[in-house]
Amino acid sequence: MGHFQGGAEAPVRVLLADDDAGFLESLQPLIEHQPELTVIGTAANGLAAIELADALDPDAVVIDLHMPLVDGVTAVARLRKDHPSLCLIALTGDPSPQLHQAVSEAGADAVLLKGTLVDTLVERLAAVRTGARS
């Protein structure tokens, strides 16, 4: 993989996928505010998320589970298959354990509830560099 030498200077490149534009608008600046993170694209549905991930090769994808065209579980499974080393973080407003289980089995690294989300999300993304991707 053609990653930068030293790695620390290169921010974690994050793709955001959510059909709720207001949520994206609130989330994107929070991520951009972190020096170690950068948002490289946003998608409004699961299909666009898959296409953008193929085009942009992000380090991490933050994906909402309830989206049009391709639902989050399907998109996560597809992203995991196509990009094995991607950090995949699923978001949902739905606390259903079955859903969380399904998404984890599909390949998500983390499933976060939107209500409690932002601090955890930023921490989780910031940890991508120190984690498995070396």
Side-chain angles (χ1 to χ4, degrees), residues 66-115:
H66 296 284
M67 287 192 297
L69 296 184
V70 178
D71 71 277
V73 175
T74 307
V76 163
R78 173 69 190 276
L79 288 165
R80 175 55 70 216
K81 186 166 84 65
D82 293 348
H83 306 274
S85 59
L86 193 59
C87 172
L88 275 171
I89 298 178
L91 307 182
T92 179
D94 183 345
S96 152
Q98 289 89 339
L99 177 67
H100 292 208
Q101 174 87 25
V103 181
S104 298
E105 285 173 2
D109 293 303
V111 184
L112 303 177
L113 279 170
K114 281 189 172 179

Side-chain angles (χ1 to χ4, degrees), residues 20-119:
D20 177 347
F23 182 74
L24 279 183
E25 277 169 26
S26 61
L27 183 58
Q28 186 162 354
L30 288 165
I31 293 178
E32 290 283 4
H33 188 64
Q34 306 297 315
E36 68 273 31
L37 304 174
T38 185
V39 175
I40 57 167
T42 59
N45 62 64
L47 188 59
I50 290 167
E51 289 172 350
L52 271 176
D54 288 345
L56 301 173
D57 192 26
D59 298 309
V61 176
V62 177
I63 186 163
D64 181 47
L65 293 182
H66 296 284
M67 287 192 297
L69 296 184
V70 178
D71 71 277
V73 175
T74 307
V76 163
R78 173 69 190 276
L79 288 165
R80 175 55 70 216
K81 186 166 84 65
D82 293 348
H83 306 274
S85 59
L86 193 59
C87 172
L88 275 171
I89 298 178
L91 307 182
T92 179
D94 183 345
S96 152
Q98 289 89 339
L99 177 67
H100 292 208
Q101 174 87 25
V103 181
S104 298
E105 285 173 2
D109 293 303
V111 184
L112 303 177
L113 279 170
K114 281 189 172 179
T116 55
L117 167 93
V118 169
D119 296 344

Side-chain angles (χ1 to χ4, degrees), residues 3-23:
H3 276 290
F4 303 94
Q5 290 305 80
E9 314 76 59
V12 176
R13 299 162 66 252
V14 183
L15 173 65
L16 302 178
D18 197 314
D19 60 336
D20 177 347
F23 182 74

